[in-house]
Each structure stands twice: as structure tokens, then as C-alpha cells.
Amino acid sequence: MTTSEAARVPEPVPEPVPEPVPGAIAEPVRDPEAVPLGGPLSADAALTPLWRPASVAVVGASDDPAKWGHWLARGALLGREIRAVHLVNRRGGRVCGRPAFPSLGGLPQAPELVVIAVPAPAVEAAFDDALAAGARAVLVISDGLGRLTGNPRLADRLGDRARERGVRLLGPSSLGIVDTQAQLRLAWGDFSAGPVGVVTQSGQIGTEIAYLLARLGSGVSRFASTGAQADICTEDLLDSLAGHDATRAVIAYVEGIRDPQRFLRAAHLLREAGKPLVLLTVGSSPVGSAAALSHTGALTSGTDILEAVCRGVGAVRATTPAHAADLAHALALGVRPRGSRILVVSDSGGQGALAADLATERGLDLATPPTTPPQSPVPAPVEPRNPVDLAGAGEQDLTVYASVAEWAAAAGTYDALVLTGYFGRYGEDIPTLATAEAEVAARLARVAPTLPVLVHTMAGGSPATQTLRAAGVPVYADIDSTLRALAGCAQWQAATPRPPGRHPTAPPGPPGPQLPYLQAREVARAVGIAFPEAGVAESAREAVRIARAWDGPSVAKVVGHTHKTEVGGVRLGLETDADITAAFEDFATRLGARSVVIERMDTRPDTVELIVGLRYDPGFGPVVLVGAGGTSAELWRDTALELAPVTIDGARAMLRRLTCRPLLNGWRGAAPCDVDAVAAAVAALSTLPGRDPTVVSAEINPLRAGPDGVLAVDVLIERAAAPAAPTANHTETTEEES
């Protein structure tokens, strides 16, 4: 069921008044840890009327199980011992065995939260009734308001009206909200209680995540579908989860980030609260990838920037709902490996080998067993190695599984243990072994606080898997899910979030003309980028004079072209006066050049060409990129990107992510490059927006890295276009301006 179902909520029809059916509405189970009404407000106080209302009214409540109003009424009544619940149906009568009021105006008290699930044409009137009744928050389930009412701005108008009255509005087109601790269930679907908060811009993806968590033996603490975000948005809801004690990890599915800076602040709040954020997005992110005139724009994407955002705030990005659920499940259980060194233990050579391959793909390190390990728990002739193949030892003695885990914890070599294979199924297939297997599972669980343990099992709900889950050990049905979750936990634990940036988040204006090459060089030099000697010549004779100032060959570059190589505007290896003269005259004749840059050619051996670029993202501000450079930069697309500015250490981390990194370290006998100098250049360029707020984009391509440092041999810089000077008559345009 999707939120679009709400658009098809039919007009209420007269219904028979049913007698209460025993068991039709489950009696609420009061959570002993639930915060009572009137208790202390936490950090989510701004949304208290939404999350912890003293009373709820459901407008459009119905006895028809096929209607949204029925699910909402049933869910609201689950919390009737905690808060007042009012059901509103314009026909009156009884709904779910309770009297229904024909209108909000007839309620005995002001409802703090009003839930609206009526046909789209009736939403605006219901919303006005909610405001008149004194509601402090309104949840609008109904969908298709613009399409079905002929008013495309109706949702925005409801949001404006809510803000004018100081009322919070979630929706329209929301799938609903759930707070399992507070017995607040105002959504379609079933939600198991658990430690994971879910904020989603797609109601159906959100419910899929909730179901996936339930299958893992977990569940949701809070669930919120944002809908149209006419008022309450993703960032508000993330803020509210930072102070929610029952939430230990958060999944956010986003298709568009309305306020990137608020999103960054909310993510920082979650990190500071120790609540890992798992971000699930689609590829076409609203952050966009506005192309610059250089390669940099073509080499960046919205996905790249969101990855950088995750690194910057210490979040982890997931690629599918299942990935998000697997990862949040482990993070919520407190899986915090110190590093990426793992031990794989299996009772099948094949399963162990598959796990080893997948672990390597996920960036995990199958650490070598210690040279002087504690006495091996594995019977001869099997020796401890990685992966450990028990080779039937478990069938002889179930306790070997626990013994290996205890041995690994004592060895101190590993950051996590992954058990893959048959364990957990002994008790299912041989019931007489169920108790013994559960006792081994309890020993494994006692290891987990010292050495994180994750289990992939072929079993279902056996006593052993129940014991593991009850003790907080993540259990998965396939090895890839297990290893992806572990890799994400290691990534979250190793993250070093940067403090919120103080640099401008939006470009200073639309780009103007590129700076002349020599001027662009000076701007880059001012932040610490090194260039070869150069000069600009307006005649062949002057070009020769400039080149005589240094030894060795020169380079001639045409002025005024973005991609000089593509128009034949670069000549390398000019050794003689005749070479330089010929280059100048060719550019003048063929390209109409009036001036030519003459630059000393970098002839150092063992150099590697890189690209370093800077541009503004429309939402998150300046970003810096480094990658394989030269004329083939767009072909290789080997890049690393971060939010700017970066430190030198941050730039080193970027370089470590490049596929071409071995070239920098010395490839096939070449001398290694000065990586520290490369990192310093990347960090220097990333500071440009803070040093010169007029810069819109910058690119050095190539930056030539060698054993003795780096030299930039081409640079493009765009500054913001200057605003037009006001004239006495703004209706006229001069011939020059035309």
C-alpha cells in the first residue's frame, strides 16, 4: 500500500453500527519505559505535539478494513490508555466499536494531534476545522491534493497557514508516523518495536525497511513518512531523533535535501548523540552536478557529493533498503569494530572461501593469525588460519565454535569475528542438540563485548539464533549482508567527522569570464600552488626573449581558449628561437591569437599528471576534487571528492582512494612522488573560497607530481560576474552592452 492510496479515499457512506468484537482491537501493551504524558521534554520538544500528543483525533475514521481510516483508527486506539483518542466520521455512528463524532467541532476537548485521511477535495476544509479545534499538530495522509483539487499550490498553502498559526504539519501525502515506545501507531502497516528510527521520503520504501528490520529480529523506534514536506521536513525529523532515547541508529531515505546546511547540522547532532545515521538515496540527488567550463564539473556527480557529505558528518551511505536495514541493525546493537581486521570461521570450506572473497571486496582485511597464538582450540590436523575451516570439528564437539571465538578474542589480532555456515541449525535438524547449541550461542554472545561477533546462519528461528539475537549479536541469512553490515560498522567507527563548515555555502554569483592565464596563476600561487616561470608575449620577438630567461625547452600556450589541447593551442618542447617563432605565428594565423603564454617546460622524470579542481555545489557549497589528470581525465574518471576545505591529512586520505595511487608510490621502478606535496596542493586549492570569496570555480590540470614536489602547468579560474552598473534609464541598453 502506497501513500497514493490516500488519494483514493472514497466519500464516507452510511455504515451499520457494529457491536464491539472481542479481539478486534488489540488491547494496548503499556511499555514500562514509556515517557508518561507531562514528563520532561527531550531534544525533540519542538515536535512534541506530533510525537507525544496528549490527544489524537482521526478524521476519516472507518470500519472498512480496506480504507486508510480503518488502519489509522485501529492504530490510534492502541494508545488509548496513554492518550485520549477521538474518531471522526461525518456520518457519526460507531467505528471500531467506539462512538464516532461527525465533526471536530463536537469533540469534548481540543485534539493536540489531528490525522486527516479524507478524499483530497475535503482536505482543506478538514485542515481548517483542525486549526479551529485548537490542534497543535496535523498529519495529512491524503494524497494528490494538487491533481484532484485543481490547485497545484494547495499543499504549500496548508503549510503557510500552519506556520501562521504556530501549528506543525506533516504531509500531505504522508504514509504516517509511528512511535512504538509511546504506543503511537498512525500509519498503514505493522511495525515491530526496535531501536532504529526511520525517516523516509517514500512511504513504501520506509515500510519495506520496517519489514526488513522485523525479519532481522529488530524493529523501529520511530517511523515518519515526510510526504510533501509542506512544513515538517526531513531535517526536522532527524533533529527530533537525536534526543530520543529509544533510538540507537537512524535510517534516512532521501530523494531531495531541501536545506543542505540544516541536514548537515542534523547529521552532526546525531553523530554527537552516538546515533549512527545510515543514508539511503537515489542516484539523481538534488545536490546536482552543475558543470563548470573545466573537466571538474563533468567529473563530479550528486552521488559523489553525498558520499562526501557522509564522510564529512560521519554517516554511512547504503545502496538498497536491505543494505540500510542490515547496517542499521548492527549499528543499533552497538557493533563497533576498532578496525577492519576480521577472522572468518566456517564449518564449510566453500562458505569460508566465499566469505573471504566478499570480505576483500568490502574492504575488510583477513588478518593473519598471530605468530605466537594462544593454544589452538581447533583439533589437529586443522591449524588456525584465516578463514578457519572447522572441517567437521563442530559436528564432533559443538563447543569448538565458542572455543575459536574465545581464542580469537584472547589473541588480540582481530577487530571482529564472522561465523558463517551451519551453526544455529543443529538444534533445528537434531532437536536433542538444541539446548547444547543454545549454550554455545550464549558463550559466543559473551565474547561479543570484547570482540564483535556477527553470524551468518542457514537456520531460521532456532533456540541458538534466538539466544544470539536476545544477547544483541547480529544474525543474518546470507554472508553478503553480514559482511556489508560489518564493513559499514567499521566505516562508521573509523570516521573522523569534520566540524560544520564556516565557508560560504553558495557561489558568490554566476560565473563570469575566465581569468587570463597569468592572472589565474597568481591567484593560485597566492594560496601556495607552485608554477613554472612564464610570461605573456604579444609578438614572436617577445616570445623568444621570454624563453631565453631559462635553460631547457619551453611551452607555448594560446590565450583565450578553455581546452587548449583540443584546438591545437599548446606546443611542447620548443628548443630553439625558430621553434618559438613558428609556434607564435601558427597560433596567430590559425587561431587568431594576439598573445601567447611562454612557459618553462617541466622536464622532470618520473612525474604523474593529476587534476585538482574546485567548484560550488548548489546546496553543500564548495567541493574539491583530485584524480588522474591530463587530457584523458574524463576517460579514466578516477577521482576522489570532498567538501572543501580539507586538511592535508584529509587530502592524503583522498589520494589513498585513487586507483592510480600506485603511480604516485613509484610504479615499475619509477621513483615515488612527493605525496605530501600533492596533498598540500590539494588542501591549498580547497581553501580558495575562504581566501577569495569571488572565485566560482578553479581547476589545475595537470598538476605534475614528481619525486621533488609538484608543479601546476595549467590552471582555469572563474570569478563571479560583476553586477551591471546602474544607468539613468534602465529601459535602454547601450550598443556595447548589446
Side-chain angles (χ1 to χ4, degrees):
M1 181 68 65
T2 67
T3 54
S4 62
E5 297 285 348
R8 300 190 293 273
V9 177
E11 289 290 341
V13 296
E15 299 174 347
V17 180
E19 292 298 321
V21 179
I25 300 294
E27 290 296 320
V29 179
R30 183 67 187 270
D31 185 338
E33 296 182 2
V35 177
L37 295 177
L41 294 179
S42 60
D44 65 349
L47 294 184
T48 295
L50 180 75
W51 287 124
R52 296 294 173 96
S55 57
V56 172
V58 178
V59 179
S62 172
D63 247 358
D64 184 347
K67 293 183 179 180
W68 272 87
H70 182 76
W71 281 81
L72 296 169
R74 286 173 57 93
L77 288 171
L78 289 174
R80 66 184 181 272
E81 290 188 358
I82 299 175
R83 64 186 62 84
V85 176
H86 307 294
L87 306 181
V88 178
N89 183 303
R90 71 184 182 91
R91 300 289 184 182
R94 298 176 69 84
V95 173
C96 297
R98 297 286 296 271
F101 295 86
S103 70
L104 285 170
L107 300 187
Q109 65 183 111
E112 193 165 32
L113 171 62
V114 172
V115 187
I116 297 175
V118 297
V123 168
E124 187 170 14
F127 183 78
D128 289 340
D129 289 345
L131 297 182
R136 295 178 59 203
V138 180
L139 166 62
V140 178
I141 303 295
S142 308
D143 193 9
L145 268 61
R147 183 178 71 255
L148 298 176
T149 65
N151 184 353
R153 293 203 68 256
L154 179 55
D156 293 335
R157 191 162 74 185
L158 297 182
D160 293 340
R161 207 174 301 171
R163 283 185 288 274
E164 290 170 1
R165 297 286 293 270
V167 172
R168 301 312 307 264
L169 166 64
L170 182 61
S173 307
S174 170
L175 190 84
I177 60 170
V178 173
D179 185 324
T180 55
Q181 184 189 51
Q183 293 293 342
L184 185 71
R185 305 209 178 206
L186 300 171
W188 187 288
D190 296 314
F191 295 85
S192 298
V196 181
V198 178
V199 177
T200 177
Q201 290 179 10
S202 164
Q204 190 148 310
I205 285 180
T207 54
E208 180 185 2
I209 290 170
Y211 294 152
L212 289 165
L213 287 168
R215 291 175 197 168
L216 290 167
S218 183
V220 302
S221 54
R222 281 179 172 173
F223 171 95
S225 164
T226 61
Q229 302 189 78
D231 174 38
I232 296 173
C233 60
T234 297
E235 294 78 23
D236 292 317
L237 294 162
L238 293 178
D239 279 344
S240 74
L241 292 176
H244 186 231
D245 292 341
T247 297
R248 297 182 203 151
V250 176
I251 297 174
Y253 171 74
V254 297
E255 296 171 351
I257 297 176
R258 297 176 58 181
D259 188 338
Q261 295 309 304
R262 276 205 61 204
F263 179 85
L264 292 176
R265 288 195 297 272
H268 277 291
L269 279 176
L270 288 169
R271 180 80 193 196
E272 290 172 0
K275 302 177 189 295
L277 172 62
V278 178
L279 185 64
L280 177 63
T281 66
V282 289
S284 54
S285 164
V287 296
S289 56
L293 292 177
S294 58
H295 293 283
T296 303
L299 289 171
T300 59
S301 70
T303 299
D304 294 331
I305 292 167
L306 283 175
E307 293 278 8
V309 168
C310 286
R311 287 189 294 272
V313 298
V316 186
R317 186 166 175 263
T319 55
T320 65
H323 184 196
D326 292 337
L327 178 51
H329 175 52
L331 287 167
L333 290 176
V335 175
R336 303 289 188 270
R338 296 183 303 270
S340 59
R341 304 169 305 167
I342 70 167
L343 176 68
V344 173
V345 179
S346 177
D347 38 36
S348 160
Q351 286 177 310
L354 285 173
D357 289 346
L358 289 170
T360 301
E361 290 180 13
R362 300 297 178 200
L364 298 169
D365 175 20
L366 271 73
T368 304
T371 54
T372 57
Q375 183 176 359
S376 170
V378 184
V382 179
E383 293 297 330
R385 58 180 183 268
N386 202 355
V388 173
D389 181 6
L390 295 179
E395 297 175 12
Q396 303 300 317
D397 180 6
L398 281 175
T399 64
V400 72
Y401 291 98
S403 299
V404 170
E406 292 159 353
W407 167 84
T413 304
Y414 310 105
D415 299 314
L417 180 144
V418 174
L419 178 60
T420 174
Y422 192 77
F423 181 79
R425 242 199 120 76
Y426 289 101
E428 287 187 341
D429 293 343
I430 309 172
T432 56
L433 294 178
T435 300
E437 190 179 33
E439 291 172 353
V440 172
R443 285 176 62 185
L444 287 170
R446 288 194 289 271
V447 170
T450 303
L451 179 70
V453 176
L454 289 86
V455 176
H456 155 231
T457 178
M458 299 159 60
S462 69
T465 58
Q466 292 173 9
T467 299
L468 291 168
R469 288 186 170 123
V473 174
V475 179
Y476 297 96
D478 68 276
I479 187 59
D480 193 28
S481 296
T482 310
L483 293 167
R484 283 199 307 178
L486 177 55
C489 291
Q491 181 183 342
W492 188 87
Q493 183 68 10
T496 53
R498 49 187 287 160
R502 297 184 180 275
H503 283 279
T505 58
Q514 286 186 41
L515 294 183
Y517 177 60
L518 290 185
Q519 186 178 346
R521 279 173 40 118
E522 291 308 307
V523 171
R525 280 166 58 89
V527 296
I529 308 295
F531 287 84
E533 300 98 312
V536 61
E538 295 185 353
S539 67
R541 180 177 297 179
E542 190 176 7
V544 170
R545 180 186 61 76
I546 292 170
R548 286 177 178 172
W550 52 75
D551 296 329
S554 299
V555 179
K557 300 177 180 179
V558 69
V559 174
H561 288 269
T562 299
H563 299 300
K564 304 175 185 66
T565 303
E566 294 175 6
V567 297
V570 177
R571 289 286 190 89
L572 304 174
L574 305 178
E575 299 275 3
T576 66
D577 294 356
D579 293 338
I580 293 170
T581 299
F584 186 96
E585 292 176 349
D586 173 62
F587 292 168
T589 302
R590 184 168 52 85
L591 301 175
R594 296 181 180 179
S595 58
V596 174
V597 170
I598 305 298
E599 191 170 67
R600 186 173 188 174
M601 184 172 175
D602 181 20
T603 59
R604 296 174 300 158
D606 298 330
T607 56
V608 177
E609 291 193 341
L610 299 169
I611 180 173
V612 184
L614 176 89
R615 74 168 183 86
Y616 273 85
D617 173 76
F620 289 104
V623 296
V624 63
L625 169 144
V626 64
T631 58
S632 301
E634 291 179 55
L635 174 63
W636 303 122
R637 303 189 68 83
D638 177 19
T639 60
L641 180 141
E642 293 292 348
L643 302 183
V646 295
T647 63
I648 292 178
D649 283 342
R652 289 192 189 100
M654 295 173 70
L655 295 172
R656 287 194 291 271
R657 299 205 305 269
L658 295 178
T659 304
C660 67
R661 180 188 174 191
L663 296 177
L664 297 173
N665 295 336
W667 179 254
R668 292 185 178 273
C673 297
D674 185 348
V675 175
D676 289 341
V678 176
V682 174
L685 192 69
S686 78
T687 67
L688 196 51
R691 302 279 189 91
D692 186 344
T694 68
V695 169
V696 174
S697 70
E699 179 180 286
I700 297 169
N701 184 28
L703 178 77
R704 291 174 57 83
D708 57 349
V710 298
L711 281 175
V713 297
D714 199 8
V715 61
L716 301 172
I717 292 180
E718 291 175 310
R719 277 195 168 126
T727 61
N729 186 348
H730 295 287
T731 63
E732 296 180 359
T733 304
T734 67
E735 182 178 346
E736 183 178 353
E737 288 172 333
S738 299

